[in-house]
Amino acid sequence: RNASASRASPPEAVSLPVTSQEAWAQCVAAVAQCTALDLHGLGLTGSIPSAIGALANLSSINLAGNALEGTLPKALGNLTKLVQLNLENNAIEGNIPEELLMLPSIASIRLHNNRLSGSLPGALGLAGETLAFL
Protein backbone atom coordinates (compact mmCIF):
# COMPACT_ATOMS: atom_id res chain seq x y z
CA ARG A 1 0.00 0.00 0.00
CA ASN A 2 1.30 3.43 -0.90
CA ALA A 3 1.43 5.43 2.34
CA SER A 4 1.65 8.74 0.52
CA ALA A 5 -1.62 8.09 -1.31
CA SER A 6 -3.58 8.68 1.88
CA ARG A 7 -1.91 12.01 2.61
CA ALA A 8 -3.11 15.32 1.26
CA SER A 9 -1.07 16.60 -1.66
CA PRO A 10 1.31 19.43 -0.81
CA PRO A 11 0.70 22.76 -2.50
CA GLU A 12 2.57 23.30 -5.74
CA ALA A 13 5.98 24.91 -5.43
CA VAL A 14 6.16 28.51 -6.52
CA SER A 15 9.27 29.72 -8.30
CA LEU A 16 10.28 33.21 -7.30
CA PRO A 17 12.82 35.29 -9.22
CA VAL A 18 15.09 35.84 -6.23
CA THR A 19 18.26 37.35 -7.65
CA SER A 20 19.63 39.62 -4.98
CA GLN A 21 20.16 39.56 -1.23
CA GLU A 22 17.66 42.41 -0.77
CA ALA A 23 14.95 40.66 -2.76
CA TRP A 24 15.60 37.45 -0.85
CA ALA A 25 15.32 39.24 2.51
CA GLN A 26 12.01 40.80 1.41
CA CYS A 27 10.73 37.42 0.27
CA VAL A 28 11.62 35.82 3.60
CA ALA A 29 9.99 38.63 5.57
CA ALA A 30 6.76 38.29 3.56
CA VAL A 31 6.24 34.59 4.16
CA ALA A 32 6.01 34.34 7.94
CA GLN A 33 3.49 31.48 7.74
CA CYS A 34 5.69 29.28 5.53
CA THR A 35 6.36 25.74 6.71
CA ALA A 36 8.90 24.94 3.97
CA LEU A 37 11.44 27.11 2.19
CA ASP A 38 12.90 25.48 -0.93
CA LEU A 39 15.17 27.79 -2.91
CA HIS A 40 17.77 25.25 -3.97
CA GLY A 41 19.77 25.71 -7.15
CA LEU A 42 18.66 29.27 -7.87
CA GLY A 43 22.12 30.84 -7.89
CA LEU A 44 21.45 32.83 -4.71
CA THR A 45 24.40 34.88 -3.51
CA GLY A 46 25.21 36.74 -0.31
CA SER A 47 24.60 35.47 3.18
CA ILE A 48 21.57 33.89 4.83
CA PRO A 49 19.71 36.80 6.44
CA SER A 50 19.10 36.72 10.18
CA ALA A 51 15.45 37.47 9.33
CA ILE A 52 15.06 33.77 8.52
CA GLY A 53 14.89 33.21 12.28
CA ALA A 54 11.52 34.99 12.35
CA LEU A 55 9.90 32.24 10.24
CA ALA A 56 8.79 30.31 13.31
CA ASN A 57 6.66 27.79 11.38
CA LEU A 58 9.44 26.46 9.14
CA SER A 59 9.97 22.73 9.35
CA SER A 60 12.15 22.42 6.25
CA ILE A 61 14.79 24.66 4.64
CA ASN A 62 16.54 23.74 1.40
CA LEU A 63 19.04 26.32 0.14
CA ALA A 64 21.43 23.75 -1.38
CA GLY A 65 23.35 24.33 -4.58
CA ASN A 66 23.57 28.12 -4.48
CA ALA A 67 26.52 30.46 -3.94
CA LEU A 68 25.68 31.49 -0.39
CA GLU A 69 28.55 32.89 1.69
CA GLY A 70 29.04 34.23 5.16
CA THR A 71 28.35 32.42 8.39
CA LEU A 72 25.33 30.48 9.60
CA PRO A 73 23.12 32.95 11.46
CA LYS A 74 22.51 32.11 15.12
CA ALA A 75 18.88 33.07 14.38
CA LEU A 76 18.44 29.58 12.89
CA GLY A 77 18.26 28.52 16.53
CA ASN A 78 14.87 30.29 16.78
CA LEU A 79 13.27 27.79 14.40
CA THR A 80 11.97 25.36 17.00
CA LYS A 81 9.82 23.45 14.46
CA LEU A 82 12.72 22.89 12.05
CA VAL A 83 13.16 19.21 11.14
CA GLN A 84 15.35 19.40 8.01
CA LEU A 85 18.08 21.87 7.03
CA ASN A 86 19.91 21.46 3.72
CA LEU A 87 22.64 24.00 3.00
CA GLU A 88 25.03 21.70 1.11
CA ASN A 89 27.04 22.89 -1.90
CA ASN A 90 27.41 26.56 -1.01
CA ALA A 91 30.36 28.63 0.27
CA ILE A 92 29.24 29.07 3.89
CA GLU A 93 32.10 29.77 6.31
CA GLY A 94 32.76 29.71 10.02
CA ASN A 95 31.53 27.45 12.77
CA ILE A 96 28.28 25.56 13.22
CA PRO A 97 26.28 27.51 15.83
CA GLU A 98 25.39 25.49 18.94
CA GLU A 99 21.87 26.90 18.69
CA LEU A 100 21.35 24.85 15.53
CA LEU A 101 22.07 21.58 17.32
CA MET A 102 19.80 22.48 20.22
CA LEU A 103 16.65 22.61 18.08
CA PRO A 104 14.10 20.21 19.60
CA SER A 105 12.79 18.74 16.32
CA ILE A 106 15.90 18.75 14.11
CA ALA A 107 16.45 15.40 12.38
CA SER A 108 18.69 16.21 9.40
CA ILE A 109 21.38 18.85 8.89
CA ARG A 110 23.21 18.78 5.55
CA LEU A 111 26.22 21.08 5.42
CA HIS A 112 28.77 19.27 3.23
CA ASN A 113 30.69 21.05 0.46
CA ASN A 114 30.93 24.38 2.27
CA ARG A 115 33.85 26.21 3.84
CA LEU A 116 33.01 25.49 7.46
CA SER A 117 35.84 25.47 9.97
CA GLY A 118 36.46 24.70 13.61
CA SER A 119 35.31 21.75 15.63
CA LEU A 120 31.81 20.41 16.09
CA PRO A 121 29.97 22.21 18.87
CA GLY A 122 29.79 20.55 22.27
CA ALA A 123 26.00 20.68 21.94
CA LEU A 124 26.21 17.85 19.41
CA GLY A 125 26.04 15.43 22.34
CA LEU A 126 22.88 17.19 23.55
CA ALA A 127 21.10 16.93 20.19
CA GLY A 128 19.21 13.96 21.57
CA GLU A 129 17.57 11.24 19.55
CA THR A 130 15.96 13.56 17.01
CA LEU A 131 19.16 14.29 15.05
CA ALA A 132 19.56 11.33 12.72
CA PHE A 133 21.80 12.87 10.06
CA LEU A 134 24.59 15.45 10.22
Side-chain angles (χ1 to χ4, degrees):
R1 182 179 143 176
N2 185 348
S4 64
S6 62
R7 294 183 190 156
S9 298
E12 288 187 33
V14 176
S15 265
L16 299 174
V18 182
T19 56
S20 73
Q21 182 69 14
E22 182 179 318
W24 185 25
Q26 290 172 359
C27 173
V28 169
V31 292
Q33 298 306 310
C34 259
T35 58
L37 181 63
D38 187 356
L39 300 174
H40 77 278
L42 295 178
L44 297 174
T45 60
S47 59
I48 300 170
S50 293
I52 200 166
L55 300 177
N57 292 312
L58 281 179
S59 63
S60 175
I61 298 173
N62 185 354
L63 301 175
N66 286 293
L68 298 172
E69 302 172 321
T71 60
L72 293 169
K74 289 185 178 188
L76 286 169
N78 298 337
L79 303 176
T80 58
K81 296 179 183 178
L82 192 64
V83 175
Q84 297 179 331
L85 176 65
N86 186 350
L87 301 175
E88 62 192 20
N89 300 317
N90 280 289
I92 298 168
E93 302 171 336
N95 295 322
I96 300 170
E98 285 200 26
E99 293 85 352
L100 187 57
L101 297 174
M102 300 296 289
L103 292 171
S105 299
I106 197 71
S108 175
I109 302 173
R110 293 176 168 264
L111 300 172
H112 68 276
N113 291 333
N114 279 289
R115 298 178 184 161
L116 296 170
S117 59
S119 57
L120 289 173
L124 181 58
L126 302 174
E129 295 181 15
T130 61
L131 185 60
F133 184 81
L134 174 64

